Amino acid sequence: MDTRPHVALIGMMGSGKSTVGFWLAQSEGLRFVDLDAAIEERHGRSVPEIFQTDGETRFRDMEQSELAECLTSEQPLVVSCGGGSVLRAGNRALLRKRAWVCWLRASIETLTQRVRSGDSRPLLGEDPVADLIQICDARAGLYAETAHRVIDIDGLEANQVAERIKRIRPRQSAAR
Ligand code: S3P
């Protein structure tokens, strides 16, 4: 039996969770789950559409059940969590318990370069930099309390971040 723990990547939108997660899963031979993509597939609508028609609370419900389902997998996997997955205390507790959690921490400058306002970012409005600063401030403590480790990703390529994670992540699960 493969006893490696699940790896969960958390952090702000634009911190590279999906790309890093994909690289990491590929090179470790693990299944990769992008939580937003899994929600979109299950519900047949894009995340912005879900926000628009059902509202954020309903999206958070979907996110919570998708996360719970994927973390029950017996096979270890890499999951890239939506930036707001840490908002609910239940998700934070579940992540800590069922996965090894790594926070991809980025400066506002890096996030701003990567994230543009537009349809695909329902939480960003006309002033995306101000929105990013406000969201980041509100969530930094939640990312910190959920993560087992932090990687500062400024100036790093996705494959470099994945290599760092490979070096520091535990080989055996204590939690599962
Ligand atoms: C969100 C981040 C998005 C997506 C949704 C809400 C957030 O995911 O889940 O738009 O609250 O930060 P990414 O972090 O993958 O962009």
Side-chain angles (χ1 to χ4, degrees):
M1 185 175 148
D2 191 337
T3 59
R4 288 176 293 177
H6 300 312
V7 175
L9 303 180
I10 61 171
M12 286 286 291
M13 58 187 96
S15 59
K17 294 163 294 192
S18 300
T19 318
V20 170
F22 177 79
W23 272 94
L24 180 65
Q26 284 266 310
S27 74
E28 299 254 286
L30 296 172
R31 184 159 81 89
F32 172 59
V33 176
D34 180 308
L35 214 56
D36 283 341
I39 294 166
E40 291 182 335
E41 198 178 326
R42 186 181 300 275
H43 297 276
R45 283 176 294 157
S46 69
V47 169
E49 277 171 340
I50 296 169
F51 264 77
Q52 205 176 0
T53 52
D54 296 7
E56 181 172 351
T57 303
R58 179 76 191 107
F59 171 76
R60 297 297 173 202
D61 293 339
M62 296 174 183
E63 182 174 60
Q64 185 163 12
S65 52
E66 202 66 48
L67 180 67
E69 174 162 337
C70 95
L71 291 181
T72 59
S73 162
E74 280 301 320
Q75 283 302 309
L77 49 78
V78 178
V79 53
S80 75
C81 301
S85 301
V86 296
L87 289 171
R88 290 192 172 176
N91 288 349
R92 299 197 294 278
L94 189 72
L95 280 163
R96 290 267 328 167
K97 185 168 170 220
R98 300 280 305 170
W100 179 79
V101 185
C102 187
W103 173 17
L104 305 190
R105 183 167 59 188
S107 65
I108 291 293
E109 289 70 30
T110 296
L111 295 175
T112 320
Q113 280 162 16
R114 296 183 182 189
V115 168
R116 287 170 191 82
S117 69
D119 290 344
S120 65
R121 308 279 184 188
L123 292 182
L124 300 186
E126 304 219 320
D127 187 348
V129 180
D131 292 337
L132 280 171
I133 292 170
Q134 186 268 320
I135 297 170
C136 215
D137 278 355
R139 290 188 187 162
L142 302 178
Y143 293 133
E145 74 170 68
T146 310
H148 293 99
R149 293 290 293 264
V150 184
I151 296 181
D152 285 305
I153 59 98
D154 292 343
L156 297 177
E157 299 291 335
N159 62 326
Q160 295 176 304
V161 179
E163 285 305 317
R164 279 198 194 183
I165 294 173
K166 281 168 68 174
R167 283 205 300 274
I168 63 174
R169 87 181 188 85
R171 312 310 300 176
Q172 292 228 327
S173 173
R176 292 171 58 230

